């Protein structure tokens, strides 16, 4: 039997909280014979089925209204809809419509207590790897052989801007420096504003021997080869004056072996470090095997010793104390707007992630105690559902729920770069499953990226196919979640796996007309000017083979995204009546072309590799 049209959005039109209840609305086809609809919830962990009242009829749409109690024992309320039709029943839930009751992970979710910052969903983020973005002060650049990263091994290598990055197998990835710095970033704020960027995410900037700086030696100082604390404060002040935001990378799971607490290479002239000194004050900051020099490193990597979070001194330094480092950078004179917590899912007591949820919540509480509107973002390469129910992270780097499925659809690759071709139906199933497991407000503040400093650049995955890259970029800016560009994407910067994905920004490409730059600038402008794209509900209208169509709806407005990932033209007939529209003129916001909606349908032919973003004129 054909699945009926049933829909429940999650913006304010569909979901309205009161002090103790949640008012919910859903919609069906007006000519569909339905005997009853119930909204199912579980107050006190026991099922209740509450009647939905038949409401207004608008053309082919029949609205239904109901109210459920908010759970009093926990912040999270789960619900879904049971639709009775003759001898059949259908269930409407966060992952779609099925003929049986869904598992609880697929229910709609509302968190009455823990909400992410409202500002996040309005942003367009831009990720910068500082050493490769812009050199504003050559006098502080790392010099060749200035120091070694590992004892007397891995001497620094200074390279000319734009020179090729060494191959991964050469082993020089962490010790090659190109001279990018804070002064360079600050000097390019006009460029970033013209592009339309509203928020920056910087890879680590604190003192560390490597170029990537995930091996911290001083959590309170900007690395002197990047600039000074005062320079950073000035830059943040300028950003805020421009109405922009900034978040920093927080690397609190492990330190460098050169951190004074550890001091593996015995460079510290003060208090002895933990390595080789069983009686050191800092011995319990790490996890040694008795009095030996055997210790636990992150993923077994000896240069990154894991911190011991069962030690109160470590807790106080990182999050619990009044001067804890998480709080320090959120306070004046810096006042950053949030943290991206590196490998936060691995942090815990002992070798593993024991009591991980406790510490993630503690990190959240520490940040929110200084700035309740700060953004708490977690790095998770795989599924992050358990961290995204509202009480731990506001959002995650959305690899599992966006980057992975989008990569499979457009590039035919999985996260391990194995072949993985999926069609549009499979893409929608994947996206729905990932998105539906978390509350709506957290869906909106997921950080969506096509690529990052940890992945091959998306354009390189596509073998340089810029037509397909434009489709993926359109998906990035039209889909649910907050978009983030990895630096250089807007000028078609390519790069293979780490470290080749960290090439220098080719500034010469911004000095002449550039098709990709113009395209990205236009997408950013459209995203920023459309509340529907920022926080509107998602409605799928078509998903078959290599063609995809979905709408973002808010109030009485919508944006309609159409994608043809095939090389061949395809004619679609889209049920625009599901958006409450029977007759209208739709205009493509990218080209200005127009189409007619007749009798609730849009007949449209997409050229090969064509993407459109339509709205009602």
């Amino acid at each position: 039997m054909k699945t009926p049209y049933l829909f429940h959005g999650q913006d304010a039109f569909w979901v309205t909280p009161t002090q103790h209840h949640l008012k919910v609305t859903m919609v069906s086809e007006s000519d569909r014979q339905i005997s009853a609809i119930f909204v199912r919830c579980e107050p006190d962990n026991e099922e209740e089925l509450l009647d939905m009242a038949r409401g207004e009829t608008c053309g082919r749409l029949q609205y239904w209204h109901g109210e459920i109690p908010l759970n009093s024992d926990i912040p999270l309320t789960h619900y879904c809809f049971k639709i009775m039709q003759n001898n059949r029943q259908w269930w409407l839930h966060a992952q779609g419509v099925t003929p049986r009751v869904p598992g609880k992970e697929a229910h709609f979710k509302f968190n009455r207590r823990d909400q992410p910052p409202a500002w996040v969903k309005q942003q367009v983020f831009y990720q910068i790897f500082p050493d490769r973005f812009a050199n504003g002060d050559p006098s502080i650049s790392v010099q060749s052989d200035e120091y070694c990263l590992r004892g007397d091994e891995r001497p620094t290598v200074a390279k000319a801007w734009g020179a090729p990055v060494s191959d991964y197998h050469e082993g020089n990835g962490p010790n090659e420096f190109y001279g990018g710095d804070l002064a360079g970033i600050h000097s390019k704020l006009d460029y970033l504003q013209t592009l339309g960027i509203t928020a920056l995410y910087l890879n680590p900037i604190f003192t560390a021997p490597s170029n990537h700086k995930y091996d911290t030696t001083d959590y309170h100082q900007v690395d002197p080869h990047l600039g000074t604390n005062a320079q950073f404060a000035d830059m943040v002040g300028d950003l805020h004056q421009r109405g922009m935001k900034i978040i920093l990378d927080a690397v609190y799971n492990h330190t460098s072996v050169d951190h004074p607490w550890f001091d593996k290479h015995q460079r510290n002239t003060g208090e002895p470090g933990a390595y080789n000194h069983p009686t050191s004050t800092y011995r319990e900051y790490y996890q040694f095997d008795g009095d030996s020099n055997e210790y636990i490193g992150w993923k077994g990597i000896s240069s990154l010793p894991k911190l011991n979070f069962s030690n109160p001194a470590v807790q106080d330094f990182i999050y619990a104390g009044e001067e804890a480092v998480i709080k320090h950078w959120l306070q004046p004179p810096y006042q950053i707007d949030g943290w991206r917590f590196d490998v936060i899912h691995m942090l815990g007591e002992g070798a593993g992630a024991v009591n991980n949820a406790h510490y993630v919540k503690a990190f959240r509480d520490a940040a929110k105690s200084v700035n309740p509107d700060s953004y708490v973002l977690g790095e998770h390469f795989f599924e992050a559902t358990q961290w995204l129910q509202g009480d731990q992270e506001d959002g995650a780097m959305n690899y599992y729920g966006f980057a992975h499925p989008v990569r499979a659809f457009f590039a035919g690759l999985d996260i391990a770069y194995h072949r993985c071709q999926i069609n549009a139906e499979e893409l929608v199933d994947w996206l729905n499953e990932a998105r539906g497991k978390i509350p709506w407000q957290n869906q909106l503040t997921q950080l969506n990226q096509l690529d990052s400093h940890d992945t091959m650049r998306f354009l390189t995955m596509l073998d340089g196919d810029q037509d397909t890259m434009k489709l993926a970029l359109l998906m990035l800016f039209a889909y649910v979640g907050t978009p983030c560009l990895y630096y250089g994407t807007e000028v078609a910067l390519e790069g293979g796996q780490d470290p080749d994905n960290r090439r220098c920004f080719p500034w010469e490409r911004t000095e002449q007309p550039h098709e990709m730059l113009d395209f990205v600038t236009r997408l950013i402008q459209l995203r920023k000017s459309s509340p529907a794209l920022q926080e509107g509900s998602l409605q799928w209208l078509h998903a078959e083979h290599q063609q995809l169509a979905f709408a973002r709806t808010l109030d009485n407005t919508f944006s309609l995204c159409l994608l043809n990932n095939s090389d061949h033209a395809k004619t679609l007939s889209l049920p625009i009546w599901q958006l409450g529209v029977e007759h209208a003129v739709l205009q493509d916001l990218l080209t200005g072309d127009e189409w007619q909606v007749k009798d609730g349908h849009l007949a449209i032919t997409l050229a090969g590799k064509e993407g459109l973003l339509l709205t009602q004129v």
Side-chain angles (χ1 to χ4, degrees), residues 179-312:
D181 51 31
L182 294 184
I185 297 171
H186 201 166
S187 73
K188 299 299 183 181
L189 293 187
D190 285 346
Y191 163 78
L192 293 170
Q193 268 203 301
T194 300
L195 179 60
I197 298 303
T198 62
L200 301 186
Y201 153 42
L202 304 188
N203 285 110
I205 64 170
F206 304 124
T207 304
S210 69
N211 56 43
H212 56 68
K213 309 219 172 294
Y214 284 96
D215 50 347
T216 313
T217 60
D218 190 338
Y219 288 104
H220 285 103
Q221 294 295 322
V222 170
D223 191 289
H225 292 295
L226 294 178
T228 67
N229 288 14
Q231 276 183 299
F232 179 68
D234 287 345
M235 186 181 79
V236 175
D238 191 358
L239 278 162
H240 287 162
Q241 287 238 324
R242 296 166 182 255
M244 300 173 73
K245 306 282 189 179
I246 184 170
I247 65 171
L248 293 183
D249 223 319
V251 188
Y252 299 143
N253 176 70
H254 52 266
T255 72
S256 167
V257 292
D258 287 328
H259 195 291
W261 295 342
F262 198 86
D263 195 24
K264 182 174 184 177
H265 302 295
Q266 310 297 290
R267 294 168 172 164
N268 190 7
T269 58
E271 176 78 26
Y275 189 84
N276 219 32
H277 294 98
T279 61
S280 168
T281 302
Y282 305 113
R283 186 73 172 186
E284 299 303 318
Y285 281 42
Y286 298 94
Q287 301 168 68
F288 285 87
D289 184 5
D291 287 346
S292 75
N293 278 330
E294 297 298 315
Y295 58 91
I296 296 171
W298 173 68
K299 294 185 72 173
I301 298 173
S302 62
S303 61
L304 299 174
K306 270 180 69 80
L307 287 167
N308 175 17
F309 270 88
S310 61
N311 182 350

Side-chain angles (χ1 to χ4, degrees), residues 45-106:
N45 296 323
E46 184 61 66
E47 176 186 73
E48 282 194 24
L49 292 174
L50 302 173
D51 286 305
M52 297 281 286
R54 188 183 295 267
E56 64 277 21
T57 301
C58 300
R60 304 188 208 188
L61 301 180
Q62 173 63 60
Y63 288 91
W64 303 78
H65 305 286
E67 185 174 88
I68 60 174
L70 290 169
N71 279 39
S72 58
D73 55 328
I74 57 173
L76 210 59
T77 296
H78 294 72
Y79 65 97
C80 59
F81 301 92
K82 181 179 185 179
I83 296 93
M84 305 303 299
Q85 183 184 19
N86 299 324
N87 294 324
R88 291 189 65 94
Q89 59 179 248
W90 298 97
W91 291 81
L92 170 62
H93 49 86
Q95 296 180 23
V97 178
T98 54
R100 55 172 290 271
V101 59
K104 198 167 183 179
E105 75 280 355

Side-chain angles (χ1 to χ4, degrees), residues 317-572:
F317 183 89
I318 299 296
Y319 68 87
E322 287 299 313
E323 301 300 321
V325 69
I326 286 179
K327 302 173 183 177
H328 176 76
W329 294 95
L330 287 162
Q331 296 170 338
Y334 312 108
Q335 294 182 292
I336 66 170
D337 299 290
W339 288 106
R340 178 266 195 191
F341 290 98
D342 183 59
V343 296
I344 193 168
H345 51 282
M346 301 183 72
L347 185 144
E349 299 166 6
V354 176
N355 285 332
N356 176 262
H358 166 79
Y359 292 107
V360 179
K361 289 178 181 178
F363 281 16
R364 176 189 181 86
D365 290 345
K368 302 290 186 180
S369 72
V370 177
N371 177 4
D373 242 7
S374 59
Y375 185 27
V376 175
L377 175 69
E379 181 209 18
H380 304 272
F381 241 75
F382 301 100
E383 186 182 359
T385 301
Q386 70 192 73
W387 292 273
L388 292 166
Q389 298 306 307
D391 62 344
Q392 295 184 63
E393 299 167 15
D394 294 318
M397 295 187 75
N398 197 15
Y399 289 108
Y400 178 77
F402 183 80
H404 293 187
V406 167
R407 174 187 300 191
F409 182 66
F410 289 110
L413 297 172
D414 72 5
I415 191 61
Y417 305 102
H418 297 148
R419 296 303 304 175
C420 178
Q421 186 67 63
I422 62 175
N423 61 32
E425 296 143 297
E426 293 161 335
L427 172 66
V428 168
D429 284 345
W430 191 339
L431 292 170
N432 282 348
E433 179 262 321
R435 199 183 64 256
K437 289 180 176 180
I438 64 177
W440 173 247
Q441 291 300 325
N442 297 90
Q443 293 178 37
L444 294 174
T445 52
Q446 290 282 75
L447 196 75
N448 291 342
Q449 292 182 278
L450 296 175
D451 46 21
S452 74
H453 65 293
D454 281 327
T455 72
M456 184 185 296
R457 285 188 176 265
F458 203 82
L459 184 57
T460 301
M461 292 184 225
L462 298 173
D463 296 322
D465 180 354
Q466 294 199 19
D467 290 334
T468 305
M469 183 69 183
K470 288 179 179 179
L471 294 182
L473 284 164
L474 179 54
M475 183 84 182
L476 173 67
F477 283 94
Y479 187 66
V480 175
T482 301
C484 180
L485 284 176
Y486 186 38
Y487 77 97
T489 297
E490 72 274 20
V491 292
L493 182 59
E494 292 202 47
Q497 296 186 51
D498 173 14
D500 190 47
N501 56 353
R502 304 169 183 180
R503 297 180 188 179
C504 294
F505 191 106
W507 287 104
E508 66 278 3
R509 298 186 191 180
T510 67
E511 297 168 359
Q512 53 196 1
H514 196 286
E515 182 181 356
M516 187 65 78
L517 180 58
D518 291 343
F519 181 74
V520 171
T521 302
R522 179 62 177 150
L523 285 179
I524 294 173
Q525 181 185 52
L526 292 174
R527 172 80 185 203
K528 289 167 59 179
S529 63
S530 171
L533 292 180
Q534 294 169 18
E535 57 184 312
S537 292
L538 174 72
Q539 234 173 311
W540 299 107
L541 297 176
H542 183 90
E544 188 176 16
H545 305 307
Q546 293 297 304
Q547 291 76 42
L548 189 69
F550 63 91
R552 299 291 305 280
T553 62
L554 185 68
D555 300 325
N556 295 316
T557 66
F558 64 85
S559 292
L560 177 59
C561 180
L562 285 67
L563 301 168
N564 179 13
N565 193 36
S566 166
D567 291 323
H568 307 288
K570 180 70 174 179
T571 298
L572 306 179

Side-chain angles (χ1 to χ4, degrees), residues 522 526 529-533 550-554 556-562 576 579 581 584-590 592-597 602 612-617:
R522 179 62 177 150
L526 292 174
S529 63
S530 171
L533 292 180
F550 63 91
R552 299 291 305 280
T553 62
L554 185 68
N556 295 316
T557 66
F558 64 85
S559 292
L560 177 59
C561 180
L562 285 67
I576 305 301
L579 307 179
V581 174
V585 175
L586 303 184
Q587 183 179 67
D588 180 20
L589 296 171
L590 295 168
D593 294 340
E594 295 184 349
W595 288 267
Q596 293 277 344
V597 176
L602 172 65
L612 304 175
L613 190 62
L614 308 180
T615 193
Q616 189 169 349
V617 176

